[in-house]
Amino acid sequence: MSHARTRATWIGGAAIAALATSLVSSPSQALQSVDSDAAAHPYSAHILVGDSDRACSGALVAPQWVLTSKSCFADASGVVPGKPQAATKVTVGRPDLTQTGAGAARTATALVAHPDRDLVMVKLSTRVNNVQPVALAATPAAGGQELRAAGYGRTKTSWVPDRLHTAAFTAGTVGTTSVDLTASTGAGLCKGDAGGPVVRVNGTTRELVAVVGKSWQGGCLGTDSLETRTDAVATRTDDVRTWVTATAFRAQGDMTGDKTADLTAIWNDSTLHSYAGLGNGQLGNQVPLFGGTTWATIKHLTKGDLTGDGIADVIAIWGDGTLHYYPGKGDGTIDGPRTITLGGATWAPMKNITAGDFNKDGVDDLITIWGDGTLHLYTGKGDGQLNNGITVAQGAATWLTVKHIAAGDFTKDGVADLMAIWEDGSLHRYTGKGDGQLNAGTTMMGGTTWSTIKHLTAGDFNEDGVADLKAVWGDGTLHYYSGKADGTLNNGTTVTVGGATWGSVRQFA
């Protein structure tokens, strides 16, 4: 890079062949191994854009999202939203990129740029469930505060390092969108560190206050030897927490990626249709899904994200007793069936099924009532398949008299809960413990008035992070009951689409 004495320069998006990446501990002596602090920053991400074309750093801020600098992806016209223009690999939780056991490697599937700040959210192909995302700071860095930056950028001697490095900085002037960083002795930032996390210690928690932006690059390989300045500028993140969390939010039952649950139904003509959620409990018009009238033999239908990509999949038990899932494409439609191998054709005796995340691993699980009245949970593996079942102790073998079940997070604690309508027409909620088991039931609103319900399902239909219920009543009307986050429900609202025609629905999810 040419020597610049007038301003700091961007340090991301460099061509690796000539301008690779790493954070150095000293302008005069680059780190050649993972430093002792690197393991304390497992949320750090290495982002490789294109076929060994460009690289930068980032921070895992949600299981399926990495935050980084726009310079990682920007061209002359800025960041193009949606799918990255070049294939992008994101590696999280590996201080040493040559190792494969720790962390995870994902492909980037979407970019969401902040409208007026040097920040972009990168959506990963599937969730990273074995790395804890970094905490988001709620207040800005203060002048004189000690901060720590991490990145995979260039060293003094290597164009393409494969190890995470960290260094100490002191916060200087804090602007409306940025914070100046003064390097400690021997610290510096180089090409490829752009987007890397800048954190402070708050008690025992490291919290993200900014991401790396510009640096003078003193002491970096390829920088003019006359350049000795090592200060940098980082982009503040403390005041964009709402944008980060809103971007990363995913709704249970969402088939279109718009953060609202959608509905699927098999009608009495044996066709399957989807109905896009509008975000207010109401639904859009029906969209026929593939298969024509071949859905006649379906015995049970539900929806859940079995693949960990944030999009709901359709799950069905066929008349021959086999269990299948249909991956959601993200546009409201589904792919062809994949067989769930567990159990073979033994699913025929099932009385009820529903799906939700009962063990808090980010992948939905299947919960079932068998013909003997016992309740079982099958945790999802994240690849569409299921682990062996465990018996849910709550209720023992009394579940045979349950008419309908629906799973969703009604208490906003990240764990699915179970709603059940019993034979006497009463609705009960069983909160999830997070280990696949349930707490004792709580009677819900309406007393025994739920006896005429024909179909029941759950999903986040109003984008507030709390599961809601949708129910088809005996008169053929569809009603929506929004969740309050304390496990209770608001009074029902009629869903206008379809009028009183929902009585002819055979299966509902």
Side-chain angles (χ1 to χ4, degrees), residues 70-92:
K70 285 181 180 176
S71 60
C72 187
F73 295 95
D75 55 22
S77 59
V79 176
V80 178
K83 185 177 181 179
Q85 301 296 294
T88 300
K89 178 182 178 182
V90 183
T91 304
V92 179

Side-chain angles (χ1 to χ4, degrees), residues 102-445:
R106 301 286 189 263
T107 56
T109 61
L111 304 176
V112 179
H114 192 278
D116 54 15
R117 197 164 297 192
D118 178 32
L119 297 170
V120 61
M121 291 278 281
V122 183
K123 186 178 183 180
L124 309 181
S125 53
T126 58
R127 292 164 62 94
V128 177
N129 293 320
N130 61 347
V131 176
Q132 180 69 33
V134 65
L136 301 176
T139 57
Q145 192 169 54
E146 182 177 332
L147 306 175
R148 195 86 182 174
Y152 291 88
R154 184 193 308 176
T155 68
K156 179 178 175 61
T157 58
S158 175
W159 289 109
V160 191
D162 51 24
R163 298 182 178 184
L164 179 70
H165 303 279
T166 72
F169 290 82
T170 302
T173 300
V174 179
T176 56
T177 63
S178 63
V179 55
D180 293 339
L181 303 178
T182 300
S184 60
T185 302
L189 293 162
C190 299
K191 281 285 185 181
D193 287 322
V198 179
V199 301
R200 68 177 170 209
V201 176
N202 184 0
T204 59
T205 301
R206 285 177 169 81
E207 54 185 26
L208 187 74
V209 296
V211 300
V212 175
K214 301 176 182 179
S215 169
W216 290 107
Q217 301 180 66
C220 300
L221 183 62
T223 301
D224 192 321
S225 60
L226 297 178
E227 179 57 84
T228 59
R229 289 171 291 184
T230 57
D231 294 350
V233 179
T235 304
R236 282 178 54 184
T237 59
D238 60 278
D239 58 341
V240 294
R241 295 172 72 207
T242 300
W243 173 75
V244 170
T245 55
T247 302
F249 174 76
R250 69 169 190 164
Q252 176 190 337
D254 180 14
M255 297 180 67
T256 58
D258 64 354
K259 307 183 189 305
T260 299
D262 309 302
L263 195 69
T264 55
I266 299 175
W267 288 81
N268 58 2
D269 64 356
S270 301
T271 58
L272 178 68
H273 293 81
S274 68
Y275 301 81
L278 301 182
N280 59 358
Q282 296 296 320
L283 299 173
N285 293 325
Q286 66 178 7
V287 175
L289 298 182
F290 84 94
T293 60
T294 63
W295 297 87
T297 63
I298 297 296
K299 297 187 65 176
H300 297 287
L301 189 75
T302 190
K303 288 204 314 294
D305 179 15
L306 293 184
T307 56
D309 62 357
I311 299 297
D313 312 306
V314 171
I315 307 163
I317 296 177
W318 283 81
D320 63 359
T322 57
L323 181 63
H324 298 261
Y325 78 97
Y326 301 77
K329 293 182 178 181
D331 59 0
T333 65
I334 53 178
D335 250 333
R338 272 75 158 168
T339 301
I340 296 177
T341 56
L342 181 69
T346 64
W347 297 89
M350 210 62 60
K351 179 176 170 58
N352 272 303
I353 66 170
T354 189
D357 184 6
F358 288 90
N359 63 354
K360 208 175 181 179
D361 68 350
V363 177
D364 282 344
D365 316 305
L366 193 68
I367 196 164
T368 66
I369 299 175
W370 283 81
D372 62 358
T374 56
L375 188 66
H376 293 259
L377 179 77
Y378 302 83
T379 55
K381 293 183 176 181
D383 60 358
Q385 298 299 315
L386 301 173
N387 291 300
N388 291 328
I390 62 171
T391 301
V392 179
Q394 184 62 48
T398 64
W399 294 87
L400 192 59
T401 58
V402 166
K403 296 176 64 178
H404 306 286
I405 56 174
D409 183 7
F410 292 91
T411 54
K412 206 173 184 179
D413 62 354
V415 179
D417 313 304
L418 191 66
M419 290 285 191
I421 298 177
W422 288 79
E423 196 170 44
D424 64 357
S426 60
L427 176 67
H428 295 258
R429 182 195 73 246
Y430 302 82
T431 54
K433 294 183 177 181
D435 60 358
Q437 296 296 319
L438 301 174
N439 290 301
T442 300
T443 303
M444 303 294 290
M445 58 183 278

